[in-house]
Every structure is written in structure tokens, then in C-alpha cells.
């Protein structure tokens, strides 16, 4: 089956399961999946039931698709994303975004847990741009002309108008919102101290192991992107040691502000 056939098959499957109009796709990162519990009139579909869909293996990622209403918008939310480091191809990692585009979503909200290069744990960071340091690109291969161009323009990958709205909403809600550049690595190792010095030198504010492939596909398909990083730790070399348990713990502490921010911004989009 071609990629286009798979996208159409999955979109039709979801429609048959009750997925209607999709205003926004929502990708919820490590520990941030709870936001999907606030979706009303929800239809939940296990990843295992969806054709052509990946499988989630990371602790803190539930592995469910939730469709319904959030902040007055129809959203299709991924509770758990697919990572390249899990052994998924980039086609699998980005497939949900392809399907969102097929379902005519206007935009994509991407979220992640990230290490802080210029910010400390507990910071919520609006993503203004990214550095693709994965050595990969999900668009390599035949271009799907009906979805987007061979050479997509990445000048405004993260929608400037959406960014302005996020800042306005944060200010009105009294939530501190930093902004900066997200640098994507493949993982699964955390970065070395030398890599973090490099990241800082070339202009990264946060580092992580996701988001970049999904955003590339979203931009290619014409989806407007809004991205948030929850900074869970100082990047390597900026604190004594690093582990996944700490990432999960800090995420738990900032998730209420995170949820408020995403919901309130979504209401304004
Ligand atoms: N590096 C990469 N990914 C991460 C980090 C980090 O320090 N923290 C959370 N996700």
C-alpha cells in the first residue's frame, strides 16, 4: 500500500469511528497527556485498533487517540506520540500529522518535555523555531504533491500570529511564558556536555527528542503550528545528573499551568 493509501485508509477508519471535523491536532508529550482527559463529548480510540498506526512504548505515554471538544474547538489529540528512538520509522512518527492534514485540520499544537539550555526546570517555553539536529528529515523520499511542495518554506514554521496569541493569553492568565529555539536530537541518550555547549553556541534554548519531524510534516501539509516545551531539567552539564524520573516529576509540577495555557490559547485560535 502506498503512503497516500494508508493515510486515506486511516482517515476513513477514524471517520467511521465518529471522528468528524478536526480544527486542531494536539500532540501531548511526556507527562502532559492529562489534557486529553478534559476533552468533552470524547471518542477514545486505542492506538492498537487503528490501522497503519504506531505503538507507544514510553512510560508516561498512554497510547490513545482522543477526539472531541476542547476550549470550543474540535480536537484530535494524541495521548502519547511516537519517537524515532523507539525504532519507529519517521513515516510512523509523523503519520498522525499526515492523517490530521487529511482530515483538514487548520493547525497543530505540539508539546514536549525538554531539557533547558538557557532556561531552568519548571519553565514553560513557547517554541519560536527549531534546529533539526537529527540528521534525518521525514520528507526524504517521494514528495506527496497533493499535500505539499517538494521544498517547503520553513521561514515561519511556528506560526507568528499563534505565538502572539499564546503570549497574550499567558500574560492575561498570569502564567510566565518564556520563548526560544528547540533543538531536536534523535535520543535516546541524553546529550553530552559537549553537545549542550554546542547547542548553546548555535542558539538553542531547549533540547529534546521529538517534535521536529512532526512539525516538518505539519508545515509541508500547510498546518499552522503552535509549540510548547515544558522544561523539566537543566540540560547535561548544567546540573549534577539527569534521569527520566526527574523529567516526569517536574512535568507533574508544571502541568496545571501547562494545561491552562494550552486550553486558553486554543480558545483564541
Ligand atoms: N534532553 C533531551 N530530551 C529531554 C531532556 C533533555 O535534557 N529532558 C526532557 N527531554
Amino acid at each position: 500500500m502506498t503512503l497516500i493509501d494508508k493515510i486515506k485508509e486511516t482517515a476513513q477508519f477514524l471517520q467511521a469511528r465518529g471522528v468528524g471535523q478536526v480544527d486542531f491536532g494536539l500532540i501531548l508529550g511526556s507527562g502532559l497527556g492529562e489534557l486529553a482527559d478534559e476533552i468533552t463529548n470524547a471518542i477514545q480510540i486505542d492506538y492498537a485498533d487503528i490501522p497503519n498506526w504506531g505503538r507507544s512504548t514510553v512510560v508516561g505515554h498512554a497510547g490513545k487517540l482522543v477526539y472531541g471538544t476542547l476550549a470550543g474547538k474540535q480536537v484530535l489529540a494524541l495521548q502519547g506520540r511516537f519517537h524515532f528512538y523507539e525504532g519507529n520509522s519517521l513515516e510512523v512518527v509523523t503519520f498522525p500529522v499526515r492523517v490530521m492534514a487529511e482530515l483538514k485540520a487548520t493547525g497543530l499544537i505540539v508539546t514536549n518535555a525538554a531539557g533547558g539550555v538557557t532556561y531552568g526546570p519548571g519553565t514553560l517555553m513557547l517554541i519560536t523555531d527549531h534546529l533539526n539536529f537529527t540528521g534525518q528529515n521525514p520528507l526524504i523520499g517521494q514528495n506527496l504533491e497533493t499535500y505539499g511542495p517538494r521544498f517547503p518554506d520553513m521561514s515561519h514554521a511556528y506560526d507568528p500570529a499563534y505565538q502572539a496569541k499564546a503570549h497574550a493569553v499567558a500574560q492575561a492568565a498570569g502564567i510566565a511564558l518564556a520563548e526560544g529555539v528547540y533543538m531536536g536530537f534523535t535520543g535516546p541518550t541524553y546529550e553530552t556536555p559537549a553537545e549542550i555547549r554546542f547547542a548553546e553556541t548555535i542558539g538553542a534554548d531547549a533540547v529534546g527528542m521529538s517534535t521536529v519531524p512532526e512539525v516538518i510534516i505539519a508545515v509541508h501539509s500547510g498546518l499552522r503550528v503552535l509549540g510548547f516545551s515544558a522544561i523539566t531539567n537543566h540540560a547535561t552539564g548544567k546540573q549534577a545528573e539527569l534521569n527520566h524520573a526527574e523529567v516526569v516529576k517536574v512535568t507533574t509540577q508544571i502541568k496545571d499551568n501547562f494545561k491552562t495555557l494550552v486550553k486558553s490559547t486554543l480558545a483564541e485560535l
Side-chain angles (χ1 to χ4, degrees):
M1 219 197 285
T2 66
L3 177 54
I4 291 184
D5 289 340
K6 289 187 208 170
I7 296 166
K8 290 191 185 302
E9 180 186 56
T10 303
Q12 281 161 15
F13 168 86
L14 296 178
Q15 284 168 332
R17 292 285 293 260
V19 173
Q21 180 190 329
V22 176
D23 299 319
F24 288 90
L26 191 54
I27 300 182
L28 300 169
S30 294
L32 304 170
E34 258 183 37
L35 185 56
D37 299 338
E38 300 192 18
I39 294 172
T40 54
N41 305 315
I43 294 169
Q44 304 201 357
I45 309 173
D46 283 341
Y47 285 175
D49 296 338
I50 308 174
N52 310 311
W53 209 257
R55 305 280 175 263
S56 225
T57 65
V58 187
V59 178
H61 291 250
K64 252 184 341 188
L65 193 62
V66 186
Y67 172 73
T69 312
L70 187 67
K73 302 288 193 313
Q74 291 305 104
V75 300
L76 188 64
L78 258 64
Q79 217 173 18
R81 60 148 57 82
F82 309 116
H83 300 87
F84 189 60
Y85 65 72
E86 294 173 274
N88 297 304
S89 67
L90 285 180
E91 181 179 311
V92 167
V93 170
T94 59
F95 190 76
V97 183
R98 296 278 198 190
V99 173
M100 289 165 185
E102 178 68 23
L103 293 169
K104 306 277 183 278
T106 305
L108 172 69
I109 302 181
V110 273
T111 66
N112 57 54
V117 177
T118 55
Y119 298 117
T123 306
L124 288 177
M125 188 188 92
L126 179 69
I127 305 175
T128 56
D129 203 350
H130 74 220
L131 285 156
N132 180 3
F133 198 62
T134 63
Q136 311 282 331
N137 193 302
L139 290 171
I140 290 174
Q142 193 194 358
N143 185 49
L144 303 189
E145 290 291 332
T146 51
Y147 290 83
R150 172 74 293 187
F151 302 109
D153 179 7
M154 298 294 284
S155 302
H156 305 289
Y158 298 82
D159 192 272
Y162 283 6
Q163 289 182 50
K165 285 187 176 161
H167 275 305
V169 163
Q171 198 165 21
I175 295 172
L177 181 63
E179 65 168 37
V181 174
Y182 176 90
M183 184 168 179
F185 293 75
T186 64
T189 48
Y190 287 117
E191 301 71 31
T192 64
E195 284 163 352
I196 294 303
R197 288 195 299 274
F198 169 67
E200 188 158 19
T201 303
I202 64 170
D205 296 293
V207 291
M209 308 176 192
S210 67
T211 304
V212 165
E214 294 114 306
V215 169
I216 290 173
I217 294 296
V219 170
H220 177 258
S221 314
L223 271 66
R224 299 174 68 178
V225 176
L226 177 66
F228 295 104
S229 289
I231 308 296
T232 54
N233 55 276
H234 288 290
T236 316
K238 294 176 179 285
Q239 67 179 48
E241 56 184 33
L242 205 55
N243 60 65
H244 185 63
E246 189 205 349
V247 169
V248 173
K249 190 178 121 219
V250 176
T251 313
T252 307
Q253 291 162 0
I254 57 179
K255 70 185 172 197
D256 286 339
N257 271 349
F258 168 83
K259 286 193 281 191
T260 304
L261 183 61
V262 174
K263 266 188 306 186
S264 310
T265 307
L266 184 58
E268 300 297 323
L269 299 183

